[in-house]
């Protein structure tokens, strides 16, 4: 589409500390799009309370809006680039609220622990329609819905003598409810579904060991274990007799097509990878450089990128 929206915005923020134990991070953004008559107001507030000198409690709320959205489909096998589309004329921008709690504990010098649960409801989301009644009406190409995202994240950072690194774990769930066919009804299995980015479990571990002070030489170890991404499973096959895919008089049903199950109702196997590296400071043409030797996927673990079905074998 040939879109030319003009969006202006202004933002102000202030860090205010009435006492040594309490601080407020206040912000306010106002935005105006030429495609939308009303101005959009997005306030946000953060509160940090030092319960002790080593323990901080945090609370944050904010409203966020966006006048653009991506039209990439969840079923894409490889998402190399995002395709952006402007919000249509007289349409509400995408919007959500952030509710975040936090705890930060300084155990010792270089050793910290943080914990953050969050909840982010989306009041407005946009996606491509699966049914377009009038091809001359560009607004019917897209449809609106809502969603939510919640989870918890924890992080432990450590630094002792020659060893430093961090350990992180996150649990999250992202769900979308979008009327993709414009019938006014949210179909439970096709229009109420987890997002393609929804990975419930994610575990990350990084460890660095200093081998030499003089040359600043480090041995590094990194590992990641996470849930597989969701995908829409193929549950069957059927003959495809469309004009474009018609076979021949002898074989009119030469082409087979997928029958899909519920949207994003299955997951690929868990993703696992371990890397090891050696880094060292040096010089090249009298200029300081850092040399790095790395082995990627040390355990040679095979991770599934996508499934491709061959219906011409039996069984598929």
């Amino acid at each position: 589409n040939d879109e030319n929206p003009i969006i202006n915005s202004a933002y102000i923020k202030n860090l205010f500390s009435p006492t040594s134990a309490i601080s407020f991070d206040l912000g306010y953004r106002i935005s105006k799009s030429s495609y939308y008559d009303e101005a959009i107001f997005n306030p946000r507030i953060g509160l940090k309370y030092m319960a002790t000198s080593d323990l901080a409690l945090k609370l944050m709320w904010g409203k966020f809006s966006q006048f653009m959205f991506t039209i990439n489909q969840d079923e894409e096998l490889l998402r190399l680039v995002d395709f952006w589309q402007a919000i249509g004329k007289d349409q509400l921008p995408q919007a959500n609220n952030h509710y975040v709690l936090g705890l930060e504990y300084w155990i010792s010098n270089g050793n910290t622990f943080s914990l953050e649960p969050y909840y982010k409801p989306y009041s407005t989301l946009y996606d491509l329609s699966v049914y377009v009644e009038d091809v001359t009406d560009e607004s019917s190409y897209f449809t609106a819905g809502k969603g939510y995202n919640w989870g918890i994240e924890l992080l432990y950072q450590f630094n002792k003598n020659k060893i430093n690194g961090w350990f992180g774990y996150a649990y999250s769930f992202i769900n979308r409810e979008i009327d993709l066919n414009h019938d006014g009804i949210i179909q439970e299995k096709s229009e109420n579904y987890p997002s393609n980015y929804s990975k419930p479990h994610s575990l990350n571990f990084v460890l660095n060991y200093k081998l030499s002070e003089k040359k600043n030489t480090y041995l590094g170890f990194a590992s990641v274990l996470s849930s597989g991404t969701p995908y829409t499973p193929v549950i069957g096959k059927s003959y495809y007799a469309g004009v474009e895919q018609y076979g021949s008089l002898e074989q009119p049903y030469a082409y087979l097509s997928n029958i899909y199950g519920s949207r994003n109702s299955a997951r690929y196997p868990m993703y696992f990878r371990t890397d090891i590296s050696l880094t060292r400071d040096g010089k090249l043409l009298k200029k300081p450089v850092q040399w790095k030797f790395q082995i990627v996927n040390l355990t040679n673990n095979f991770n599934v990128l996508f499934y491709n079905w061959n219906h011409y074998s039996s069984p598929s």
Side-chain angles (χ1 to χ4, degrees):
N1 293 341
D2 184 15
E3 302 281 3
N4 295 284
I6 298 174
I7 302 168
N8 296 295
S9 64
Y11 178 75
I12 186 172
K13 69 172 295 182
N14 180 50
L15 185 62
F16 171 60
S17 300
T19 69
S20 59
I22 298 177
S23 62
F24 293 92
D25 193 356
L26 309 173
Y28 198 82
R29 179 184 290 274
I30 180 172
S31 303
K32 178 67 176 68
S33 171
S34 59
Y35 279 13
Y36 193 66
D37 290 338
E38 299 179 13
I40 301 298
F41 302 97
N42 290 153
R44 59 207 65 176
I45 180 172
L47 168 65
K48 186 174 184 178
Y49 171 65
M50 298 296 300
T52 68
S53 59
D54 298 324
L55 178 64
L57 305 177
K58 298 180 289 184
L59 174 66
M60 180 266 178
W61 169 81
K63 182 180 178 183
F64 299 83
S65 300
Q66 185 171 280
F67 287 96
M68 299 183 73
F69 67 100
T70 56
I71 60 174
N72 299 64
Q73 294 298 282
D74 278 355
E75 289 79 12
E76 284 185 350
L77 298 179
L78 294 174
R79 187 163 181 164
L80 301 178
V81 64
D82 287 333
F83 294 98
W84 290 88
Q85 170 69 34
I87 301 295
K89 293 181 180 179
D90 302 321
Q91 299 293 314
L92 279 170
Q94 291 200 132
N96 76 343
N97 286 273
H98 288 198
Y99 302 92
V100 184
L101 294 173
L103 178 149
E104 202 167 348
Y105 179 49
W106 292 272
I107 302 169
S108 61
N109 186 31
N111 294 270
T112 61
F113 173 80
S114 64
L115 177 70
E116 281 194 357
Y118 60 87
Y119 175 62
K120 301 175 183 180
Y122 293 78
S123 59
T124 309
L125 284 173
Y126 288 94
D127 206 337
L128 282 175
S129 303
V130 297
Y131 172 70
V132 178
E133 185 174 6
D134 182 5
V135 294
T136 63
D137 180 14
E138 292 185 354
S139 64
S140 66
Y141 295 173
F142 311 104
T143 184
K146 60 182 180 179
Y148 60 88
N149 175 14
W150 65 271
I152 186 169
E153 298 179 355
L154 63 89
L155 177 69
Y156 172 61
Q157 294 176 288
F158 53 89
N159 188 354
K160 186 175 183 180
N161 299 328
K162 295 183 178 182
I163 298 176
N164 68 78
W166 52 271
F167 168 87
Y169 170 76
Y171 178 86
S172 65
F173 183 76
I174 311 171
N175 198 72
R176 297 163 69 91
E177 295 181 11
I178 299 182
D179 185 12
L180 297 172
N181 60 3
H182 291 279
D183 66 351
I185 302 172
I186 299 295
Q187 301 294 331
E188 189 62 31
K189 293 185 177 181
S190 59
E191 298 176 330
N192 184 349
Y193 56 94
S195 166
N196 196 43
Y197 293 104
S198 182
K199 295 183 181 181
H201 302 282
S202 181
L203 188 67
N204 292 271
F205 177 71
V206 173
L207 175 69
N208 294 302
Y209 178 74
K210 200 166 190 177
L211 296 174
S212 170
E213 291 282 354
K214 185 177 181 181
K215 290 291 187 178
N216 216 22
T217 305
Y218 283 92
L219 178 66
F221 177 87
S223 186
V224 58
L225 176 67
S226 68
S227 301
T229 55
Y231 72 97
T232 302
V234 173
I235 60 174
K237 58 187 175 184
S238 68
Y239 290 113
Y240 188 88
V243 175
E244 306 86 358
Q245 297 290 342
Y246 191 77
S248 64
L249 291 176
E250 293 80 14
Q251 291 182 301
Y253 302 108
Y255 297 99
L256 293 169
S257 61
N258 295 328
I259 297 177
Y260 290 98
S262 301
R263 190 168 188 176
N264 281 354
S265 60
R267 287 189 179 275
Y268 294 119
M270 295 193 75
Y271 178 92
F272 174 72
R273 200 182 91 200
T274 297
D275 304 335
I276 189 169
S277 64
L278 182 70
T279 58
R280 185 175 184 176
D281 290 345
K283 287 189 176 183
L284 180 64
L285 301 177
K286 298 183 178 180
K287 298 293 183 180
V289 296
Q290 186 179 67
W291 302 103
K292 185 172 185 177
F293 173 76
Q294 185 177 33
I295 300 175
V296 179
N297 197 15
L298 181 67
T299 61
N300 196 30
N301 189 67
F302 281 75
N303 293 298
V304 176
L305 180 63
F306 61 86
Y307 293 132
N308 184 37
W309 287 83
N310 176 17
H311 292 310
Y312 294 97
S313 64
S314 183
S316 295

